[in-house]
Amino acid sequence: MIRFGYVLRVVAAAAAAAGAVALVRGRGVPGEAQAAAVARAAMERLGYAPLGEPTATFEGDQELAWALERARPGPAGAQLARGEGGAVRWRLVFPGGGEAQVTVDGVVWSLRRPVPEAPGPDLFPSLATPRVEAAVAQAVLDPASWRLVRAQSWREGGHTWERAWFVGGSGPLPPGWRRELELEMAGSSVVSWKRFVHPLGTDLGVVTGRMAELRLLRRPALLGLAIVVIGVLIAGAEAVAYRESTALARGLVYGVVVAVAGSFAADTLAAAPVQGVVLAAVVALLPGWTDLPPTRLSFGPAAGVALAAATLAGGTIILGAGGWVPVTSPVPSDTGWERQLADAWLPALVEEPLLRGALPAFAAPLLGWWGAALLAAPIGALLHPEPSVPLLASIGLGVVLQLGLAVVARFAGVGGAVLARGTCEALVQRAAFPAGPGWNRIALLGVAVGTVLLLWPRRRA
Amino acid sequence: MAAPARVRTLPAAVAAIALAAAALWVPATPPEQPASQPPAAAAERAEDDLPSLGLPWGKVRGWERVNDGWTLTWQPAHGMWLVRAWVPDGPGEVLWRIEAASWLPGVRLSRRAASALAGRDDGVAQGREYLGRRDWLLTDARVLGALPAGGDLPANPRRGYPAAAALLAGLLLAGAAARHLVPGVPSRVWRQAVGWSALALVPLLPQLSALAQPAFQAGVRPWVGELAFGAAATLLLAALAFAAQRFPAVAGRPVAGWLAVGLAAGVVAGRLRPATWLLGVAGLPLRLPELAALAVLLGWLMGLAGDGLRELARPAGRARAAVLALLGVAAVAFAGPWLGVALAVVAAAAVERGSGTGMAVAGVWGWVFGSVWTLAEWEPALRDALVLLLFGVGTVAAIGLARRTTGISSPTA
């Protein structure tokens, strides 16, 4: 006879898996293959056929993308960031020479081809300007919108070089924005161009101002974590003095995992060893904190899927209510499976034992477990918020996520909260990395672990 | 039990009177010059003396004592720029500086401000527009539109005392461990005193944010800076209140004579090496409760560090008194602006365990008064500092009278 509890676990596993697949489907940065084809075609139009398959690197301008979204809220702004705004793009380097930047939606943002052996006759000075003006049609789709503002020429390598600067008005960009283009010719051949966007100060200012404000607000949260770490030090001294039971081996392994993950994650290389030591101490002390709920790992990933869905829905609700939150995900400074894994799981590995383990263990005798959880929520919410209008919207969304994690920790313990947070972050951050099944698999790793844990038959007592 | 205490009280009272006399009559020559005006008066002077600079300054957000003057910060509610001015105490020139958010395009000073910056009074100026920059052409001068503008303001030399800070942190950790590992009867009075002091400071945090200059940045709205400061301060206060519960001071029977000595020694320390940051607190409207609450919290912390020092010095056995005396001499010689807290720690370690926190609070209380007395020369601050001292003296006297009338105090006091 199949027990009801096991049926419940199967249902939870199936729901979590289906939900997670729905959350990652269609997300991620597309256009890698298309970008290579577009770049190749653009170079062939200039008379150069690049050899081999290009190396593609994802790159972006975070503030520019969010400023465009702020100027045109909703999908229109996100589309501009991926297209004419040039904020999110692929860099393609061909092994036989030639390099291009192509936006995610297929606009050639910059291009540089090798200087041809026979670039055509040098332009006679009096005829150079109209030829250069005409050449802009090879770089943009709306040449009539572009105006030559400055040009220069010089002699180098046996050819006369021309460099021209064009201004394209705002075009499809929001009013007040400006497009610029720099184009170079050797002889009578176009060899390179690069486009620029100058945002309107107020649009950019809302984004950069909010980011600066959130950086400032992060300091008290870090102070809160530092206070917790001091408590861990004292608790460690007590544990040694009173010979309390500790999980030294488990703590050591956990600390090594945190240090390794930290060495792969963005901007934490210097802090990784310190984080490893602190977290090793926290995990080693966990058995002595008997006020904490026992760990039940299996339900953590399923809860993480629910939290990810709630987080993504929260952004949509804020946009629908007339506020603003970024649609484009934070652009990672580097892409790779290890970076995707580390960026998603490091916050879970570091913050959850501190906020859902150490802090409640210290504060529960005074405030009760839920009081301590409420204290941890604003600290966690201020650690990683994204800019929003109003500013408190994204902080509020973070508080909701933190309260959800507190609920998870109440019923599944610190370990369950770690799995839930890691799964949630992996699903939410999926959009920041390239599209493709390999990236999806990494984002679904937590769900897979959760499914195995849920379906694993338990021994009868 | 009461007789030995009375025997010790007499020399203690004599010492306290001698120290008070020293504080009164020995001419103190602190490294910092006293402030002849409060920050509010300095702000008024800056607003009167400086050109309008062509942009609204907003409210005065904060101040800091720098050299022989006040550095004041104004910021409008939108936070796009900051105006800072250094106002000397004497008749010197008021220096100013504008910092604008880096994303503001083409920011330009007003014509009058540009003329003032270039040292021209004729006011003849032509504007010039460039890509991302706006300049002023003056007679024989050009003011480039780039901000920040207005020149550099004087800054306090960085006097980092990392060794002292590390030593104090270590003593605090040792004190926390000592209170937990060598338990005693917890003092309900100190738990309540720390809790109420922390609670009293919470509604005063909007005022105290005036002392948090780094919280105000160009491009960051001032309410966000105040919120960041308030959140950090609330966390610290909550941690202190929690620490007072978790690592409570041990109940004891404080000797009024020794408390008087501690108070007087604190006053002398404040006269010799005053804490400049207390001058900023003295410039706040509700300075009296703020100074009192800070003295209690800081004193309790020094009591905690004193407990750590006492346990660390215990292996010295009979030489412990000599070790502590040497540490006291070293504090006077090397502690600099940390003198008050250093003496409070040593004093707390020198007395019996139950009196340590009281001794430290008395020392810090006197040090706070001595610092304000030495550095502030405006009447309201001096009056409030005197009230603070009288309150401390009254408390010590009440403790002494209570001992004489009851003979023995409650162990949970």
Side-chain angles (χ1 to χ4, degrees):
Chain A
M1 183 181 167
I2 299 174
R3 288 175 303 163
F4 175 73
Y6 191 75
V7 173
L8 192 67
R9 295 165 77 91
V10 171
V11 171
V21 169
L23 286 177
V24 299
R25 180 178 290 167
R27 295 179 73 223
V29 182
E32 184 175 352
Q34 179 203 3
V38 168
R40 188 181 298 277
M43 287 192 187
E44 285 172 353
R45 279 200 299 276
L46 296 181
Y48 170 68
L51 297 173
E53 286 304 313
T55 306
T57 316
F58 177 56
E59 60 183 29
D61 187 331
Q62 189 69 78
E63 287 89 347
L64 188 65
W66 288 352
L68 281 163
E69 291 178 17
R70 171 62 188 154
R72 291 266 173 84
Q79 199 172 358
L80 272 182
R82 295 154 66 121
E84 278 292 314
V88 191
R89 51 193 181 253
W90 292 98
R91 176 183 290 276
L92 302 129
V93 180
F94 288 91
E99 182 177 341
Q101 284 176 304
V102 179
T103 68
V104 169
D105 282 354
V107 176
V108 182
W109 199 250
S110 76
L111 183 144
R112 178 172 292 280
R113 58 155 292 184
V115 179
E117 287 182 5
D122 293 341
L123 301 179
F124 194 68
S126 62
L127 298 176
T129 301
R131 290 289 299 275
V132 169
E133 281 183 314
V136 78
Q138 297 185 49
V140 295
L141 294 174
D142 54 345
S145 305
W146 294 80
R147 177 173 55 87
L148 180 69
V149 290
R150 199 150 57 94
Q152 67 176 147
S153 65
W154 72 97
R155 187 86 186 157
E156 184 181 312
H159 309 296
T160 299
W161 289 70
E162 311 285 341
R163 181 180 293 156
W165 286 269
F166 297 86
V167 172
S170 63
L173 301 180
W177 288 57
R178 197 173 66 239
R179 298 180 298 169
E180 291 183 7
L181 183 139
E182 181 184 310
L183 183 138
E184 276 185 358
M185 296 176 71
S188 49
S189 299
V190 174
V191 292
S192 77
W193 74 77
K194 184 172 177 60
R195 289 175 61 167
F196 303 91
V197 165
H198 286 269
L200 185 65
T202 49
D203 291 334
L204 187 65
V206 168
V207 172
T208 52
R210 293 295 190 276
M211 290 169 78
E213 289 174 352
L214 290 172
R215 272 197 301 275
L216 190 64
L217 282 172
R218 196 164 183 253
R219 291 182 193 174
L222 292 174
L223 176 68
L225 284 187
I227 291 171
V228 175
V229 169
I230 290 171
V232 169
L233 281 176
I234 297 172
E238 286 175 15
V240 171
Y242 288 132
R243 293 186 172 83
E244 291 172 352
S245 66
T246 51
L248 284 178
R250 200 189 309 164
L252 196 64
V253 171
Y254 196 89
V256 170
V257 169
V258 168
V260 170
S263 67
F264 284 115
D267 305 328
T268 55
L269 185 59
V274 179
Q275 288 175 343
V277 170
V278 170
L279 268 299
V282 172
V283 173
L285 291 171
L286 275 176
W289 294 334
T290 50
D291 288 341
L292 299 181
T295 287
R296 289 190 292 182
L297 292 175
S298 54
F299 283 98
V305 175
L307 289 173
T311 305
L312 294 172
T316 311
I317 291 170
I318 293 171
L319 284 171
W324 174 78
V325 284
V327 176
T328 304
S329 296
V331 178
S333 55
D334 187 19
T335 51
W337 65 268
E338 66 279 2
R339 172 58 65 90
Q340 187 188 8
L341 207 55
D343 280 1
W345 284 89
L346 190 67
L349 291 170
V350 172
E351 292 166 20
E352 292 311 306
L354 288 171
L355 294 177
R356 249 61 68 178
L359 181 54
F362 296 145
L366 281 182
L367 304 174
W369 195 92
W370 285 107
L374 285 176
L375 184 65
I379 294 176
L382 287 176
L383 286 172
H384 311 283
E386 290 182 354
S388 67
V389 177
L391 185 68
L392 294 178
S394 69
I395 296 174
L397 195 57
V399 168
V400 170
L401 172 66
Q402 294 290 321
L403 290 177
L405 286 165
V407 173
V408 174
R410 184 65 191 168
F411 294 103
V414 177
V418 170
L419 278 184
R421 175 78 182 274
T423 305
C424 172
E425 293 283 351
L427 294 175
V428 171
Q429 293 183 21
R430 172 66 191 92
F433 291 87
W439 303 93
N440 283 346
R441 278 194 287 274
I442 292 171
L444 293 172
L445 200 61
V447 183
V449 170
T451 305
V452 171
L453 289 173
L454 281 169
L455 298 183
W456 196 266
R458 288 189 299 178
R459 286 183 200 163
R460 287 176 185 275
Chain B
M1 288 296 289
R6 272 201 298 276
V7 170
R8 283 200 306 271
T9 303
L10 186 62
V14 171
I17 292 168
L19 281 168
L24 277 172
W25 281 295
V26 173
T29 52
E32 292 85 10
Q33 286 296 312
S36 60
Q37 58 180 348
E44 278 180 23
R45 180 183 161 193
E47 287 167 2
D48 291 342
D49 285 6
L50 288 179
S52 71
L53 306 179
L55 73 176
W57 289 19
K59 286 164 57 178
V60 178
R61 302 290 174 184
W63 51 76
E64 183 187 13
R65 183 72 185 168
V66 177
N67 297 341
D68 301 336
W70 289 100
T71 295
L72 300 129
T73 301
W74 289 261
Q75 192 176 28
H78 53 65
M80 289 189 197
W81 53 77
L82 278 175
V83 178
R84 290 191 201 273
W86 180 77
V87 184
D89 286 338
E93 184 189 3
V94 177
L95 305 175
W96 57 274
R97 178 183 174 86
I98 297 174
E99 291 167 25
S102 59
W103 40 266
L104 274 180
V107 177
R108 179 163 59 188
L109 297 173
S110 69
R111 186 189 303 264
R112 192 172 164 202
S115 302
L117 184 61
R120 303 282 189 275
D121 295 328
D122 50 13
V124 178
Q126 290 181 323
R128 286 284 182 273
E129 305 288 332
Y130 297 100
L131 194 63
R133 204 182 82 197
R134 294 172 174 173
D135 298 351
W136 283 110
L137 291 180
L138 304 158
T139 312
D140 302 330
R142 167 182 280 196
V143 176
L144 302 182
L147 292 172
D152 293 327
L153 301 183
N156 276 329
R158 288 270 172 202
R159 294 193 195 116
Y161 289 85
L167 187 65
L168 187 58
L171 289 177
L172 285 170
L173 285 174
R179 283 189 182 178
H180 223 263
L181 298 178
V182 190
V185 179
S187 166
R188 196 177 66 236
V189 172
W190 285 118
R191 275 182 169 170
Q192 290 181 346
V194 172
W196 285 112
S197 298
L199 199 63
L201 278 181
V202 171
L204 300 173
L205 287 178
Q207 268 197 16
L208 284 167
S209 68
L211 309 178
Q213 290 273 15
F216 300 103
Q217 300 171 3
V220 173
R221 288 170 290 175
W223 74 264
V224 176
E226 288 165 358
L227 179 67
F229 168 77
T234 306
L235 274 172
L236 273 179
L237 292 173
L240 268 176
F242 175 75
Q245 301 291 325
R246 177 102 179 175
F247 311 108
V250 175
R253 302 165 59 195
V255 179
W258 288 121
L259 292 181
V261 170
L263 191 66
V267 175
V268 174
R271 292 282 286 167
L272 291 173
R273 292 306 300 259
T276 313
W277 62 272
L278 282 169
L279 201 52
V281 184
L284 295 166
L286 291 173
R287 62 186 77 82
L288 183 56
E290 285 153 352
L291 288 172
L294 285 173
V296 170
L297 295 176
L298 200 56
W300 182 85
L301 273 176
M302 294 312 112
L304 183 66
D307 280 357
L309 179 59
R310 184 188 303 105
E311 295 305 321
L312 289 173
R314 193 173 292 282
R318 292 190 175 184
R320 182 169 151 264
V323 169
L324 292 176
L326 276 176
L327 284 174
V329 172
V332 173
F334 303 113
W338 293 68
L339 176 60
V341 292
L343 284 181
V345 171
V346 174
V351 297
E352 62 175 325
R353 201 173 171 216
S355 305
T357 304
M359 196 70 183
V361 171
V364 172
W365 197 281
W367 176 62
V368 168
F369 163 75
S371 295
V372 176
W373 180 25
T374 306
L375 289 181
E377 287 189 343
W378 64 94
E379 190 182 336
L382 289 173
R383 189 184 58 222
D384 286 351
L386 191 59
V387 171
L388 184 80
L389 179 70
L390 290 176
F391 190 71
V393 171
T395 306
V396 171
I399 290 170
L401 284 174
R403 281 179 62 87
R404 285 182 186 282
T405 52
T406 60
I408 190 165
S409 63
S410 164
T412 55

